[in-house]
Amino acid sequence: MPAIGIGCWGIGGPDENLGLPMGWSTGSGEQEAVAGLETAWRLGARLFDTADVYGHGRSERLLGRLVAQVQRSDIVLTSKVGYFAGTAEHGFEPRHMRRQLEQTLDNLGTDRLDVYFLHHSNFGPGDRWLEPAVEAMHEFRREGLIRVVGMRGPHRYAPERLTIAADGHDDKNDRFRRVFGLVQPDLLAVRDHLLSPAARSEGIFAFAAEHHVGVLINKPLAQGLLTGAYNAATPPVFGPGDHRLRKRWFTPGAIGLIDKGLRQLHDLVGPDRRDLIRIAVWACLDRYAHAAVLVGFTTPDQVRMNLSALASPPPPPEVIIQARAIMGQVQARLDDAGEVFLDEPARRT
């Protein structure tokens, strides 16, 4: 099997954090979630990614039920800190980070994490908590509580989308480079898929290669949009606490645009949904030699489909190039239609 891990955000269920919907309302009960994790294990997955804020511990606790069944040395566990502050002054206040890490370890039923990520890059006014957070992460590693320090690639802190237009922010790439220089991470978490702008993708993987760090790619299937899971004629209905309520790409118009591209992809790679999954995931793995890809799930059937789609050899390079060209055109049309986030202020003209 290629370098595939299992993303466990979806099994956290519906949730809100920082005044925003941050979870998944369409998902599984506990038994189905655990069955999905066990199915992934039986099919060869060994990397599992979660976070303290995914269901405020629910995802970690469910994953802990798999951890209890396997040899700890055989499973790779990653989690994240920073998006949940609780009663602390900030999510990156070091004592709060330590409490969150201890709770994460308890939830997972382990004494260590293989990777611990800084979940975002907002460290408070004047970056007050940046250096303390970095020191905390490296202290956790010195103590053997974590093996690898990770951070996210260039991105925007979710609450800032409510008040600041996209072109009103500081350059997120400049900020990323500054934070990277202080954190000195071993691993980056990067969102990438066939609908990601080509220049952004090429830039972050070139940066990773230059600095000799690994990359953990998330959302390779664009949360189901690249699998044909959504239908513009019968648009999805999301309940409270679902992050997709905020995202234009899950509205009928955007789904219709994406579907036109998927029809072209089918003509290129084959008629089955597994053909779409295969090209989407291999297009990510093709980006960088030192990358692993996370595929999320809410049901065991999704796990079986995702992992079985990768049982065959990778598509030829020329097919990946054509697939990127097809979906790159779709991405341009989506950008022309409006901001990704429905509650995001419009760009200034």
Side-chain angles (χ1 to χ4, degrees), residues 286-330:
D286 181 68
R287 291 282 190 194
Y288 185 47
H290 303 291
V293 172
L294 296 173
V295 288
F297 78 100
T298 56
T299 69
D301 285 344
Q302 288 177 352
V303 172
R304 281 188 284 269
M305 179 175 290
N306 291 341
L307 296 187
S308 66
L310 301 171
S312 55
E318 60 271 19
V319 172
I320 293 177
I321 292 170
Q322 291 177 64
R324 286 180 180 152
I326 290 168
M327 299 313 292
Q329 293 174 354
V330 175

Side-chain angles (χ1 to χ4, degrees), residues 23 31 34 42 73 83 98 110-111 157 168 180 190 261 270 292 318 326:
Q31 290 185 343
V34 173
R42 287 195 300 272
S73 58
Y83 254 118
R98 182 172 290 276
T110 185
D111 62 354
Y157 181 55
F180 179 94
V190 174
E318 60 271 19
I326 290 168

Side-chain angles (χ1 to χ4, degrees), residues 2-41:
I4 297 297
I6 302 299
C8 300
W9 182 15
I11 63 174
D15 200 8
E16 294 198 4
N17 189 54
L18 301 173
L20 297 170
M22 291 283 198
W24 295 75
S25 64
T26 55
S28 52
E30 290 191 5
Q31 290 185 343
E32 198 172 23
V34 173
L37 293 168
E38 292 171 346
T39 298
W41 181 266

Side-chain angles (χ1 to χ4, degrees), residues 10-315:
I11 63 174
D15 200 8
E16 294 198 4
N17 189 54
L18 301 173
L20 297 170
M22 291 283 198
W24 295 75
S25 64
T26 55
S28 52
E30 290 191 5
Q31 290 185 343
E32 198 172 23
V34 173
L37 293 168
E38 292 171 346
T39 298
W41 181 266
R42 287 195 300 272
L43 292 176
R46 293 296 181 265
L47 166 63
F48 293 81
D49 174 82
T50 184
D52 61 354
V53 77
Y54 295 168
H56 285 76
R58 183 176 189 265
S59 173
E60 290 179 336
R61 290 190 295 273
L62 290 171
L63 179 53
R65 291 163 65 173
L66 174 66
V67 176
Q69 301 177 49
V70 304
Q71 290 291 327
R72 176 63 183 89
S73 58
D74 291 339
I75 191 168
V76 178
L77 298 173
T78 82
S79 193
K80 313 174 192 72
V81 67
Y83 254 118
F84 174 66
T87 59
E89 183 175 350
H90 192 276
F92 287 135
E93 194 278 320
R95 288 181 296 179
H96 172 73
M97 290 176 64
R98 182 172 290 276
R99 288 191 292 268
Q100 289 301 105
L101 175 56
E102 291 171 350
Q103 186 63 65
T104 287
L105 296 176
D106 286 347
N107 288 342
L108 291 170
T110 185
D111 62 354
R112 68 194 184 280
L113 290 175
D114 296 286
V115 187
Y116 203 32
F117 284 97
L118 296 168
H119 205 167
H120 61 81
S121 295
N122 181 300
F123 296 92
D127 281 339
R128 175 183 176 186
W129 299 108
L130 175 52
E131 291 188 9
V134 172
E135 175 55 32
M137 293 290 276
H138 288 277
E139 179 60 27
F140 298 154
R141 184 165 59 182
R142 286 190 291 269
E143 294 177 21
L145 298 175
I146 67 175
R147 292 180 57 243
V148 168
V149 174
M151 66 171 282
R152 287 183 69 170
H155 69 287
R156 292 177 63 187
Y157 181 55
E160 294 175 357
R161 296 182 181 276
L162 295 174
T163 56
I164 305 175
D167 61 355
H169 289 264
D170 293 336
D171 187 290
K172 65 182 180 182
N173 295 299
D174 287 344
R175 174 159 184 78
F176 162 75
R177 287 189 287 269
R178 176 174 178 271
V179 174
F180 179 94
L182 291 171
V183 176
Q184 292 293 301
D186 309 289
L187 187 65
L188 294 176
V190 174
R191 183 187 71 224
D192 191 72
H193 47 67
L194 285 171
L195 292 170
S196 298
R200 185 185 73 189
S201 296
E202 292 165 1
I204 189 60
F205 291 110
F207 180 93
E210 178 185 354
H211 291 84
H212 308 289
V213 296
V215 176
L216 189 59
I217 300 173
N218 55 63
K219 304 180 181 67
L221 304 178
Q223 300 170 331
L225 289 168
L226 291 173
T227 71
Y230 302 95
N231 188 328
T234 56
V237 178
F238 305 121
D242 195 306
H243 72 103
R244 291 168 292 183
L245 289 167
R246 300 175 50 231
K247 297 180 180 177
R248 189 178 304 277
W249 285 11
F250 294 93
T251 61
I255 292 171
L257 285 175
I258 293 169
D259 186 59
K260 291 178 182 178
L262 295 183
R263 289 199 294 269
Q264 290 181 266
L265 271 190
H266 273 305
D267 291 340
L268 176 68
V269 301
D272 194 83
R273 182 174 290 182
R274 286 179 177 84
D275 297 318
L276 295 179
I277 295 170
R278 178 170 170 259
I279 188 66
V281 173
W282 278 108
C284 289
L285 287 169
D286 181 68
R287 291 282 190 194
Y288 185 47
H290 303 291
V293 172
L294 296 173
V295 288
F297 78 100
T298 56
T299 69
D301 285 344
Q302 288 177 352
V303 172
R304 281 188 284 269
M305 179 175 290
N306 291 341
L307 296 187
S308 66
L310 301 171
S312 55

